[in-house]
Amino acid sequence: MRARPDRTDPLPSLLAVLASLLLSACTGSSASAPPNDIPDPVFSDPVAKLAVTGDLDVFARVLYDQYVYQDTGLVDAAEPVAIHMTFFGGPNNRGRALSFLDTTNFYGGTGWDGYPRAKAIWIMGNGDWQYAAYRLANESERWSDRARQENKSGQPIGNVFTIHGQIYTDPFPVTTAQANGIWANYSAAYATMSKYFRGSGRVVHARAFVQGVSRTSAFWTECRTIRRLIEEGHVADFLCAGTDFPSYRVTTAPDWVECPADCQPPP
């Protein structure tokens, strides 16, 4: 039996280290490393991002590949599911859309009690995860946060801003117009994924939660894109929620109503 070395107990010093880490976490010290698994922030060039997201078919294929990688059941021939592409805009509609995803994926994933097989997705993922391209744009590149560096005339007023209590220098100051354009392109590419799901043999339904949606919402770009995709035969129908918690297996009022045919924002 190996002799036990003289014991100089490291426990007090270990406790001291742990206490120090907890203290810095509780005080929000900017010197501590953020508890994050992705780079944050990432200072991408908005001009380059507009170009990448603006190539709708190509960028939509990037998104599609990431969705399918995360959930092969979306295109598995052994699982005859319909795809409910979910859209939202306006106050409180994000929560309503997420509830729709959760209930559709629960009941539609099992075919329980006669529910038709279905899967629901939204611009972030499927409700249980967020895919890589969205996390990059939203959590790392932080277009909206960076766009707040401009004045009321839309001109950048500097390249310094604060995230996580730390001051950063942005080498590519972002305007609100650029941030809005990036997300409008992103939304259109998300809608354009329907052609790839349709190409895999799926029936695609568009479902929107847009009570009180504003004139500047990216939904109107999505709306125009969806209308074009319906004309091209990639999307079966386009309905807007008439109640807070509509059922995915119902297609009539009061649960659902036809979305605006002209995709014109309210006055």
Side-chain angles (χ1 to χ4, degrees):
M1 181 175 180
R2 180 180 299 176
R4 188 174 69 177
D6 291 338
R7 184 172 181 180
T8 55
D9 196 340
L11 186 58
S13 60
L14 177 59
L15 290 175
V17 171
L18 290 174
S20 176
L21 291 174
L22 288 172
L23 179 61
S24 61
C26 292
T27 57
S29 170
S30 61
S32 61
N36 203 347
D37 61 345
I38 58 173
D40 178 25
V42 171
F43 296 108
S44 300
D45 184 344
V47 175
K49 191 74 174 188
L50 282 165
V52 169
T53 56
D55 192 339
L56 293 187
D57 287 340
V58 172
F59 191 56
R61 182 69 201 204
V62 171
L63 304 184
Y64 172 82
D65 288 344
Q66 291 186 12
Y67 273 86
V68 171
Y69 174 79
Q70 294 280 7
D71 184 0
T72 57
L74 289 167
V75 293
D76 187 348
E79 298 185 42
V81 300
I83 305 297
H84 290 255
M85 296 189 69
T86 310
F87 303 82
F88 70 93
N92 301 318
N93 288 314
R94 183 181 184 277
R96 296 184 179 108
L98 180 57
S99 175
F100 176 74
L101 260 71
D102 285 345
T103 55
T104 301
N105 287 326
F106 177 78
Y107 290 111
T110 61
W112 180 80
D113 195 27
Y115 277 80
R117 296 296 301 275
K119 282 183 175 288
I121 60 175
W122 62 350
I123 197 170
M124 301 173 217
N126 73 350
D128 292 328
W129 46 259
Q130 296 180 345
Y131 59 89
Y134 182 82
R135 295 193 70 185
L136 172 64
N138 189 55
E139 298 178 40
S140 294
E141 293 172 325
R142 291 178 169 266
W143 298 109
S144 298
D145 290 328
R146 293 165 63 194
R148 295 190 182 101
Q149 302 172 91
E150 69 175 20
N151 60 23
K152 293 182 179 180
S153 299
Q155 299 297 317
I157 57 177
N159 60 349
V160 175
F161 72 114
T162 302
I163 294 178
H164 309 308
Q166 299 185 54
I167 297 175
Y168 292 88
T169 299
D170 189 344
F172 301 107
V174 180
T175 67
T176 297
Q178 287 173 323
N180 289 345
I182 288 167
W183 283 115
N185 287 351
Y186 203 115
S187 296
Y190 163 70
T192 302
M193 284 201 308
S194 62
K195 66 168 53 179
Y196 298 114
F197 285 117
R198 180 60 179 162
S200 71
R202 298 311 197 206
V203 175
V204 180
H205 304 281
R207 298 290 182 263
F209 292 78
V210 290
Q211 299 174 36
V213 64
S214 70
R215 293 181 55 84
T216 59
S217 172
F219 167 73
W220 301 110
T221 298
E222 293 169 334
C223 181
R224 291 186 290 272
T225 306
I226 294 165
R227 288 299 179 196
R228 174 177 55 80
L229 291 164
I230 288 175
E231 292 177 0
E232 296 173 356
H234 301 299
V235 177
D237 52 8
F238 182 23
L239 301 178
C240 286
T243 63
D244 287 345
F245 304 108
S247 171
Y248 80 91
R249 62 177 179 172
V250 175
T251 59
T252 57
D255 280 31
W256 300 99
V257 297
E258 187 69 26
C259 290
D262 59 3
C263 295
Q264 291 299 311

